[in-house]
Amino acid sequence: MKLLRVGAPGEERPAVRTDDGRLLDLSSVASDIDGAFLAGGGVGRARAAVAGGELPELETEGLRVGAPVARPGKVVCVGLNYRDHAAETGAQIPLRPVVFMKDPGTVVGPYDEVLIHAGPAAARTVIAGYAVSHDVSAREFQLEYSPQWDLGKSCETFNPLGPWLVTADEVGDPQNLGLHLSVNGVKRQGGHTSDTIFPVDRIVSYLSQYMVLEPGDVINTGTPAGVALGLPGTPFLRAGDRVELSVDGLGSQRQTFCQA
């Protein structure tokens, strides 16, 4: 069965293309072809609806074809996985899969234009607010298992966020905030956002050249000195450790690390 989504960008409707080339409207069976549809028996329902002859036919003339899956949660890619491609780039055959991620906003229809985006002229004005964000890392995954950082950064629960979003007007200057972190009551990090190399407006402008930033997107803007990787003995976090962190004016967090 060939599932697809048709219609203008942002207005796609789910459909089925039959073996004889007809296009059938799936809107009565599902609101969209997305994760909920795929995980909730949507394919079986669509198959039954097609077999029962209960779906109306769509006119195909001039109808745009969108991406077949609506806004995937993530796009995971494997690089250098073809021997001839590795050879043409002069790269060695990797010992483990080379993994990288693409933003879900990169997914468009198969016949859509591919756009080159420029950064916003007034980046600070598009920032809704600021929050405490804990960027947890599995350094073994990040540095030893793969040349890509994604694997060490994307494990489940590795980004506690909150407790709240403080609106930009209340924060004032985001480059004037103190940062604090302790492990089991011992101070590990004490920094200040004035020490960042790139301020938040520069980061927003820079990133928007390479990806679409949408309302609700979160950007972690860095961490000060004091991480385990840079300390004598590399005292990495273990099960049972308690981490407390805060940013002046943005609130505080507390997590206990547990064995999965």
Side-chain angles (χ1 to χ4, degrees):
M1 186 166 59
K2 297 180 178 65
L3 297 170
L4 66 160
R5 299 168 63 249
V6 295
E11 301 176 3
E12 295 93 343
R13 65 173 62 185
V16 171
R17 188 172 187 86
T18 64
D19 291 340
D20 59 6
R22 293 178 299 128
L23 194 64
L24 304 180
D25 189 350
L26 263 182
S27 298
S28 61
V29 177
S31 59
D32 211 338
I33 300 174
D34 53 15
F37 171 86
L38 297 171
V43 173
R45 293 195 304 273
R47 198 183 305 276
V50 172
E54 51 190 83
L55 300 177
E57 189 168 341
L58 290 170
E59 175 58 53
T60 60
E61 182 67 29
L63 193 61
R64 171 184 172 269
V65 178
V69 178
R71 193 67 181 181
K74 50 184 165 289
V75 181
V76 185
C77 311
V78 178
L80 296 176
N81 202 31
Y82 283 79
R83 296 180 186 277
D84 56 354
H85 173 52
E88 72 176 355
T89 62
Q92 293 185 346
I93 300 298
L95 298 177
R96 300 183 181 90
V98 176
V99 178
F100 63 96
M101 312 282 280
K102 292 179 73 73
D103 187 281
T106 59
V107 177
V108 294
Y111 314 115
D112 290 344
E113 294 178 332
V114 175
L115 305 176
I116 299 174
H117 297 275
R124 186 74 67 86
T125 65
V126 302
I127 299 173
Y130 302 87
V132 183
S133 188
H134 189 183
D135 175 17
V136 183
S137 306
R139 298 299 191 188
E140 186 177 30
F141 293 169
Q142 178 189 352
L143 302 176
E144 297 180 22
Y145 285 6
S146 170
Q148 297 290 335
W149 285 19
D150 291 329
L151 296 187
K153 297 287 190 176
S154 300
C155 301
E156 185 179 12
T157 74
F158 268 27
N159 204 134
L161 182 67
W164 40 63
L165 178 73
V166 183
T167 55
D169 63 310
E170 183 171 327
V171 172
D173 183 4
Q175 308 305 144
N176 189 31
L177 304 175
L179 308 159
H180 319 276
L181 184 143
S182 66
V183 178
N184 299 325
V186 178
K187 179 180 177 180
R188 285 277 189 86
Q189 291 179 277
H192 199 270
T193 57
S194 62
D195 194 40
T196 57
I197 299 169
F198 305 107
V200 293
D201 48 356
R202 167 66 174 138
I203 291 172
V204 170
S205 179
Y206 179 79
L207 290 177
S208 66
Q209 296 177 75
Y210 305 103
M211 63 187 73
V212 177
L213 297 177
E214 298 182 345
D217 284 350
V218 174
I219 300 173
N220 291 348
T221 57
T223 193
V227 299
L229 192 64
L231 295 176
T234 56
F236 293 124
L237 294 168
R238 305 296 182 190
D241 284 345
R242 188 182 73 253
V243 176
E244 297 179 83
L245 61 151
S246 64
V247 178
D248 292 350
L250 302 187
S252 60
Q253 298 184 1
R254 182 178 64 255
Q255 298 103 30
T256 298
F257 281 66
C258 304
Q259 188 67 49

